[in-house]
Amino acid sequence: MKVIVTGGVTGGHIYPALAVAEAVRKLVPEAAVIFVGGRAGLEARIVPRSGMAFHGITSGRIRKLLTLSTIPALVSGWRGYREAGSFLQSFRPNVVIGTGGYVASATIEAAVNFDIPTVILEPNAASGRMNRLLAPKVTRICIAYEENRSDFPPDKTLLTGVPIREGIVSRSSPTEARQGLGVNPDAFTLLIAGGSQGAQSLNEIVMDTLPLLSPGMQVLHQTGEAHLDEIRSRANSATERLIRYEPRAYFDGEQMPMAYRAADIIVCRCGTTLAEVTANGIPALMVPLPSAYADHQTANARAVERAGGGVLLPQASLTPRQLADEVNALAADTARRDHMAAASRSLGRPDAARKVAEIALEIARSHE
């Protein structure tokens, strides 16, 4: 069995692909699995660190509007498609699984043209344009939200959820998780997670929110590597009333499950991070990225809010006082937090990676 997983640009595409690859190797230990990504993308750094074989191709990003940058992006996309096709011919995979991004689209398109079975994942409640274009051509479509089922052919569309990393739901107690992270094991804990690369605009709001939080609270803040030094320098004068303020550039694969388990509530972006948040059943204050394509993060947040698992806080109108009031109110209301946690957990699909892997392996075998 030979399997290609492909996805790139953001952690929201990369980590689900890695989770599916991990599930494939667990189901078929002898399978040869290769990750195809952009050679200049974030995946070129993340994937090799995971121990998975990586093949890089050219990747171009076409903006929403036609501009002068569109032409070189189209050229790069065409080059990536040709490079993907060449690699497919040499590797001869049984199935190709795409989790999003232009590099995945080029690779899936090439696979379709070589009559290789294909699976695409739509991880958001607002469907991406490339997935909508690919939908009539691919073998199976996996979706994360019931809301966008109507965007795809019903006979090939399956609800699976967003694949998340094995072990992302820790079996530790909150006390053990906090001890593992080196913070106060008994303090009420707020986790701020702006995504794998941080979120500067969210960081700015958070820094002005810190002095307004209730005394005795501690904050774990994933700032992103590019922002850590600045945040640390600004935090010194803002944390007098906190037991502890812990900015971290990035929580790695072992630390992130502990961070989720340590959290009483979370302030987060609303991409595929929400799949991990709901799998862990964390009450969420959700601040969607305003510039996300088709405002898909807001659509994701609304789905969680409708279920009762979180509160949607649009960034454009969010103030430090509002954020502090929301955090402080939740900190003081155990019953509300418990209700939100149960609602969040009801949306979680921790077995999504295995489901996608099983679907891919099934069509690979039937194609043979």
Side-chain angles (χ1 to χ4, degrees):
M1 180 66 68
K2 296 180 180 180
V3 178
I4 283 177
V5 294
T6 178
V9 181
T10 69
H13 296 144
I14 299 164
Y15 289 113
L18 285 172
V20 172
E22 189 177 70
V24 167
R25 293 195 292 194
K26 195 165 185 177
L27 290 167
V28 185
E30 69 276 15
V33 185
I34 294 179
F35 193 117
V36 173
R39 63 170 61 95
L42 184 63
E43 60 272 25
R45 300 195 302 275
I46 291 176
V47 175
R49 287 204 300 261
S50 75
M52 180 172 296
F54 178 80
H55 180 80
I57 64 174
T58 303
S59 177
R61 184 176 182 181
I62 302 172
R63 302 292 178 178
K64 190 186 302 187
L65 299 175
L66 292 178
T67 65
L68 290 176
S69 65
T70 301
I71 295 175
L74 287 170
V75 171
S76 294
W78 173 250
R79 186 177 296 130
Y81 166 78
R82 295 290 299 272
E83 292 170 1
S86 177
F87 181 68
L88 292 177
Q89 284 183 298
S90 62
F91 183 60
R92 301 179 65 83
N94 299 93
V95 63
V96 178
I97 307 162
T99 60
Y102 289 95
V103 67
S105 300
T107 306
I108 291 288
E109 188 73 56
V112 167
N113 289 340
F114 285 119
D115 194 31
I116 299 169
T118 49
V119 178
I120 58 172
L121 170 72
E122 177 47 68
N124 296 301
S127 303
R129 58 187 165 191
M130 297 308 297
N131 275 347
R132 292 199 305 271
L133 289 171
L134 289 168
K137 308 174 186 179
V138 300
T139 315
R140 292 287 185 276
I141 303 154
C142 297
I143 58 174
Y145 295 89
E146 191 65 46
E147 282 84 346
N148 56 357
R149 185 184 288 274
S150 60
D151 292 340
F152 302 109
D155 59 330
K156 60 170 85 172
T157 301
L158 300 161
L159 179 66
T160 61
V162 179
I164 58 176
R165 293 164 278 179
E166 187 174 9
I168 200 67
V169 180
S170 173
R171 295 182 179 179
S172 301
S173 69
T175 296
E176 291 169 337
R178 292 167 193 157
Q179 288 174 331
L181 292 169
V183 297
N184 189 323
D186 302 315
F188 183 92
T189 304
L190 167 66
L191 174 62
I192 313 286
S196 57
Q197 300 178 72
Q200 180 60 20
S201 53
L202 184 58
N203 288 346
E204 292 289 335
I205 295 171
V206 167
M207 296 314 297
D208 291 333
T209 300
L210 292 178
L212 306 175
L213 296 176
S214 298
M217 195 179 298
Q218 69 182 354
V219 178
L220 289 170
H221 184 183
Q222 180 174 274
T223 67
E225 291 182 9
H227 314 302
L228 179 62
D229 291 341
E230 178 191 353
I231 292 298
R232 274 183 172 158
S233 67
R234 290 181 57 186
N236 293 333
S237 61
T239 57
E240 294 177 2
R241 297 173 64 200
L242 296 175
I243 289 176
R244 184 187 295 267
Y245 171 70
E246 280 284 335
R248 307 279 177 93
Y250 178 71
F251 292 109
D252 64 24
E254 293 183 2
Q255 295 169 335
M256 198 71 233
M258 288 194 292
Y260 285 139
R261 191 71 178 114
D264 290 289
I265 57 178
I266 186 170
V267 175
C268 62
R269 287 302 198 199
C270 309
T272 54
T273 295
L274 280 184
E276 298 181 348
V277 170
T278 55
N280 279 278
I282 310 171
L285 299 175
M286 303 172 290
V287 186
L289 177 67
S291 59
Y293 170 73
D295 202 18
H296 69 260
Q297 290 204 5
T298 296
N300 296 347
R302 283 186 179 135
V304 175
E305 186 176 56
R306 277 194 296 271
V311 178
L312 169 60
L313 301 172
Q315 183 174 298
S317 58
L318 182 61
T319 65
R321 170 52 67 186
Q322 181 189 8
L323 181 57
D325 287 348
E326 292 283 356
V327 171
N328 293 338
L330 272 176
D333 193 338
T334 303
R336 184 183 174 208
R337 291 202 312 274
D338 289 345
H339 174 78
M340 291 174 68
S344 175
R345 195 172 290 109
S346 73
L347 294 175
R349 298 180 182 273
D351 61 344
R354 182 183 179 90
K355 283 186 176 180
V356 175
E358 288 175 341
I359 290 165
L361 292 170
E362 179 185 354
I363 64 170
R365 289 169 179 141
S366 64
H367 190 75
E368 288 180 340

